[in-house]
Amino acid sequence: MKHFEANFDGLVGPTHNYAGLSFGNVASFSNADAVSNPKQAAKQGLAKAKALADMGLVQGMLAPQERPDMACLRQLGFSGTDAEVLSQAAKQAPQILRSVASASSMWTANAATVSPSADTSDGRIHFTPANLVDKLHRSIEAPVTGRILKATFANDAFFAHHDALPHHPLLGDEGAANHTRLCRQYGSAGVELFAYGQSSLIGSPRPQKFPARQTLEASQAVARLHGLDSDNTVFMQQNPDVIDQGVFHNDVISVGNRNVLFYHEQAFLHTEQKFAEIRDKYGDGELHFIKVPTAAVSIKDAVSSYLFNTQLVSFDDDSMAIIAPTDCQENPAVERYLNELVQMGTPINKVHFFDVKQSMQNGGGPACLRLRVAMNQAELDAVNPHTLMNDNLFTRLNAWVDKHYRDRLSEADLADPQLLIESRTALDELTQIMHLGSVYPFQR
């Protein structure tokens, strides 16, 4: 039976804006209050997804969330008509309005953690939506994320869906951005690597400047929920010093695919000890740990270019490619390194560049935009087919964006009642295009 690693990209929502909400995310903070272009952002994401589908990869799309989140505003005490609620929030709590209007669900690397059937005890693909408790604008995503995932992966014979972990700092879970999987083939059992920023253990290292969003306890809980065995899981701590330099998720400093882990030499604590554990649990077969030295690429250059927030994909058994943002070409040190990398004789022998600057300026590169799901042909056949990228869906979604999205959005626009009406109209139509049912609160 054929096996694949599908990428499900987040469709950028109509309220894509630059509010600078993500403390610890350098790009998000540095572009705060800039004017965004939601239409361009959505089209950039669609173009990348369609290009990967045309290259032969399995590519899906995940719907955005309803924003502004009116239910959250009402829960916080604002009342009246929708227009009155938005006006009150804009005057009394503008930071909260910015949070509930964020289009951050576009970064589906944070939507959930996914374990394929080859690794789980019941032989199903398991999904656990991330609770994202560290940031208000993301902490409200999990319920709708869960409904969107269930509408996309709807067959209980193949897919198991869990609730997000309880909302508590001890259980901070940021999803697949801190999770990768090393395996011989996508259909064979692998080693699931959970990276975390801090734990409750006394004396555990932790960053001093920026928050460590993923906890060891959350990673362990997800592994239990997914029925993973200790023989195929490794828990590895991020270097707190690099978190303080803007590495807010592990996928900003490393990326894995099949038998390759591409990482910066400062990415982890106890690196060699943990790599030895990975080798032992991986068993027979060649593993490639490709280290990028600081002398070649500094942490600053890695973060600003998102060298590691790239997709590492396989086109065949002998060839891997990096899907990188054009920002990597614009950084001399990173461009030089990538030119050298493809000549090193490792499985990574190609680089493809894509313009996703609307996302990059808000702190998310190509890897942030996708959720990886390894599956076999029977599981792929059970996926909602209207979410899978092809010529027809690409055409329909581009036309949908042209019809409903603005090409300019500022902070002041977030209080515009017409923006809410436009967003709801767009999402209602989208659920029909993608056959998602009533996943949004305004539809219920």
Side-chain angles (χ1 to χ4, degrees):
M1 185 178 292
K2 291 183 178 180
H3 293 83
F4 317 88
E5 183 176 74
N7 291 283
F8 282 80
D9 282 29
L11 185 54
V12 179
T15 63
H16 164 65
N17 69 90
Y18 299 130
L21 298 171
S22 190
F23 181 62
N25 181 329
V26 175
S28 172
F29 252 44
S30 62
N31 290 295
D33 301 324
V35 174
S36 66
N37 187 332
K39 181 177 291 186
Q40 184 182 59
K43 284 180 168 287
Q44 286 176 349
L46 283 169
K48 177 184 80 76
K50 181 60 162 60
L52 294 187
D54 289 344
M55 291 177 188
L57 300 178
V58 178
Q59 177 69 57
M61 301 302 299
L62 293 177
Q65 304 217 359
E66 176 193 352
R67 294 293 181 267
D69 187 332
M70 302 303 294
C72 183
L73 289 177
R74 294 179 188 281
Q75 187 178 0
L76 295 175
F78 301 106
S79 60
T81 66
D82 286 340
E84 290 169 341
V85 167
L86 289 170
S87 177
Q88 293 166 27
K91 293 175 182 176
Q92 301 174 27
Q95 182 70 6
I96 288 177
L97 177 59
R98 288 194 292 269
S99 293
V100 302
S102 173
S104 54
S105 66
M106 63 193 273
W107 295 304
T108 55
N110 303 116
T113 304
V114 185
S115 293
S117 56
D119 294 350
T120 62
S121 59
D122 66 358
R124 294 188 293 171
I125 299 175
H126 283 244
F127 299 84
T128 297
N131 60 24
L132 300 164
V133 296
D134 188 69
K135 298 288 181 286
L136 172 60
H137 66 290
R138 305 226 58 181
S139 68
I140 58 179
E141 293 176 11
V144 174
T145 295
R147 291 200 290 270
I148 291 171
L149 289 172
K150 288 175 182 177
T152 306
F153 306 94
N155 191 317
D156 291 341
F158 295 101
F159 310 118
H161 295 274
H162 305 279
D163 292 333
L165 300 181
H167 275 55
H168 188 279
L170 179 64
L171 296 172
D173 177 24
E174 300 280 321
N178 295 303
H179 172 264
T180 194
R181 179 174 182 263
L182 300 173
C183 59
R184 296 165 191 81
Q185 300 289 338
Y186 293 127
S188 60
V191 176
E192 300 202 17
L193 174 59
F194 293 82
Y196 65 94
Q198 68 178 38
S199 78
S200 63
L201 298 173
I202 296 175
S204 173
R206 59 185 61 199
Q208 301 301 307
K209 180 180 179 182
F210 292 141
R213 304 185 189 183
Q214 183 80 29
T215 69
L216 171 61
E217 290 78 9
S219 297
Q220 291 170 330
V222 171
R224 286 191 294 269
L225 285 170
H226 290 194
L228 304 182
D229 192 276
S230 60
D231 289 339
N232 69 341
T233 53
V234 173
F235 302 94
M236 193 167 185
Q237 186 166 3
Q238 283 185 268
N239 181 350
D241 290 339
V242 299
I243 295 177
D244 280 338
Q245 294 178 66
V247 180
F248 53 99
H249 290 137
N250 186 62
D251 66 2
V252 179
I253 205 68
S254 77
V255 59
N257 176 55
R258 286 180 50 185
N259 64 341
V260 170
L261 184 65
F262 180 56
Y263 72 104
H264 195 279
E265 71 170 327
Q266 295 186 52
F268 304 107
L269 293 182
H270 314 299
T271 304
E272 293 307 319
Q273 175 187 338
K274 286 296 179 178
F275 283 3
E277 182 182 350
I278 293 171
R279 289 189 185 95
D280 179 61
K281 292 181 175 180
Y282 186 86
D284 296 335
E286 189 173 18
L287 269 174
H288 300 268
F289 295 101
I290 302 175
K291 178 175 69 176
V292 180
T294 305
V297 179
S298 68
I299 296 294
K300 181 179 179 181
D301 284 340
V303 172
S304 65
S305 68
Y306 276 9
L307 168 61
F308 297 95
N309 197 247
T310 49
Q311 294 174 248
L312 187 56
V313 300
S314 293
F315 293 114
D316 54 53
D317 286 345
D318 302 313
S319 177
M320 292 189 193
I322 287 178
I323 308 300
T326 51
D327 302 63
C328 287
Q329 289 177 298
E330 298 162 7
N331 183 297
V334 172
E335 183 184 37
R336 183 167 54 251
Y337 177 81
L338 286 173
N339 288 336
E340 295 171 356
L341 173 65
V342 297
Q343 303 297 324
M344 288 181 185
T346 74
I348 304 174
N349 54 23
K350 294 184 180 68
V351 181
H352 299 282
F353 297 99
F354 290 89
D355 180 1
V356 289
K357 285 193 180 297
Q358 284 288 319
S359 177
M360 288 286 292
Q361 288 170 189
N362 223 356
C368 281
L369 287 164
R370 63 92 172 93
L371 182 69
R372 295 183 288 182
V373 185
M375 56 180 64
N376 59 40
Q377 186 64 58
E379 292 160 345
L380 179 59
D381 290 342
V383 173
N384 177 348
H386 303 282
T387 66
L388 296 175
M389 180 58 72
N390 52 36
D391 291 344
N392 179 60
L393 183 62
F394 182 67
T395 299
R396 293 190 72 183
L397 289 179
N398 271 284
W400 173 80
V401 170
D402 286 333
K403 177 181 177 181
H404 295 289
Y405 279 50
R406 300 185 182 189
D407 59 11
R408 178 184 174 85
L409 199 68
S410 66
E411 181 183 332
D413 295 322
L414 302 180
D416 180 5
Q418 186 59 36
L419 178 64
L420 174 64
I421 294 170
E422 292 169 10
S423 298
R424 285 178 168 174
T425 302
L427 294 179
D428 191 53
E429 184 178 324
L430 182 67
T431 58
Q432 299 170 51
I433 293 172
M434 299 178 72
H435 292 226
L436 299 176
S438 300
V439 295
Y440 298 112
F442 73 88
Q443 296 175 314
R444 294 179 168 226

